[in-house]
Amino acid sequence: MKITVFHGSPRKGNTYAATQNFKKEMEKSGNIEFTEFFLPQALPEFCRGCFLCFEKSEQSCPHTEYTMPILDAMLKADALIFTTPVYVLQTTGAVKAFLDHFGFIFIVHRARPEMFGKKAFVISTTAGAGTKAAMKTIVTNLKFWGVNRIHSLGIAMLAGNFETMNPKRRSKFEKKLKKSAERFYKEIISGKKRSPYLLTKFMFYFSRSMLKKETEADTADSRYWKEQGWFEKSPF
């Protein structure tokens, strides 16, 4: 099993510790090859908003030396794990910069068929509040990528770190991490493809009706959809 992990911060603090715990619990179920990327080192550039990835191709992005290896790793993986600590009640800037670079694989543009059967897990920790908002940004993007099923776990520590966390609260989240890891492994190994999210399905049919009007304009998106055969059939 291959899993690609994206760490939303270079700091190996609480979120990193929770992720390591999650990975170890998964490894108890079977052999896993983890490919890990630490942000922002793995993608140190901000999206320039040049629109080249939309208008021409993803190969036109000025940051392909970073984006293409990441995209390749995601497509080859059986599952994805995204992690983020909470920064001012939101995901980190590094994660947002990462997501900005992959707008071209939104279902409304050039979604990758490999994503339609892929599973993902999002992990976030905070000393106080904000995990829901931080994870929502990532989850929404993954739905627009067409990811088949997305799970998440937010840990409000009410402490500076795991060591100073209330023992009962710490035990509670360690159990949640364990159960979540076991369930996530079982879902991946089962190979079961669930029905797509309603948002994903709606955006597919909405985009198809819009892109059909662009076939004469011969845009990068309409050409891609034509190559995939999505004007005639649904990938779901």
Side-chain angles (χ1 to χ4, degrees), residues 71-72 74-78 80 110-119 145-148 193 224 228 230:
L71 179 61
D72 184 62
M74 289 197 292
L75 297 181
K76 289 179 178 177
D78 296 299
L80 308 172
R110 299 189 299 280
R112 295 316 196 246
E114 294 92 333
M115 290 293 183
F116 300 153
K118 213 174 293 294
K119 316 298 180 185
W145 289 4
V147 173
N148 182 247
K193 186 177 179 180
Y224 181 82
Q228 296 297 323
W230 291 346

Side-chain angles (χ1 to χ4, degrees), residues 82-227:
F82 286 84
T83 82
T84 181
V86 174
Y87 283 11
V88 293
L89 302 178
Q90 252 296 347
T91 188
T92 67
V95 169
K96 183 60 171 65
F98 169 90
L99 295 172
D100 288 345
H101 277 88
F102 291 97
F104 67 88
I105 62 170
F106 267 28
I107 195 77
V108 299
H109 294 293
R110 299 189 299 280
R112 295 316 196 246
E114 294 92 333
M115 290 293 183
F116 300 153
K118 213 174 293 294
K119 316 298 180 185
F121 203 100
V122 183
I123 300 172
S124 180
T125 72
T126 179
T131 59
K132 286 185 179 180
M135 293 188 297
K136 184 179 180 181
T137 298
I138 300 172
V139 170
T140 300
N141 273 261
L142 296 182
K143 286 181 178 179
F144 271 85
W145 289 4
V147 173
N148 182 247
R149 197 55 56 198
I150 307 155
H151 304 275
S152 61
L153 178 62
I155 302 175
M157 304 177 71
L158 303 184
N161 53 57
F162 278 94
E163 286 66 36
T164 59
M165 199 174 180
N166 179 284
K168 288 185 178 180
R169 194 172 186 82
R170 177 174 177 175
S171 177
K172 172 186 173 183
F173 279 109
E174 285 177 343
K175 287 178 181 178
K176 280 192 174 183
L177 280 166
K178 176 179 173 62
K179 288 183 179 180
S180 296
E182 291 172 348
R183 289 173 183 169
F184 190 51
Y185 181 90
K186 287 179 181 178
E187 181 167 14
I188 300 167
I189 208 72
S190 72
K192 183 179 180 181
K193 186 177 179 180
R194 301 189 187 183
S195 297
Y197 288 105
L198 287 177
L199 172 64
T200 304
K201 203 168 184 178
F202 169 79
M203 291 310 301
F204 172 82
Y205 288 109
F206 174 78
S207 301
R208 182 162 71 176
S209 66
M210 292 295 101
L211 287 169
K212 276 184 176 179
K213 300 175 183 179
E214 294 184 13
T215 52
E216 292 184 5
D218 194 35
T219 64
D221 292 348
S222 65
R223 287 195 301 272
Y224 181 82
W225 277 59
K226 188 175 182 179
E227 290 168 3

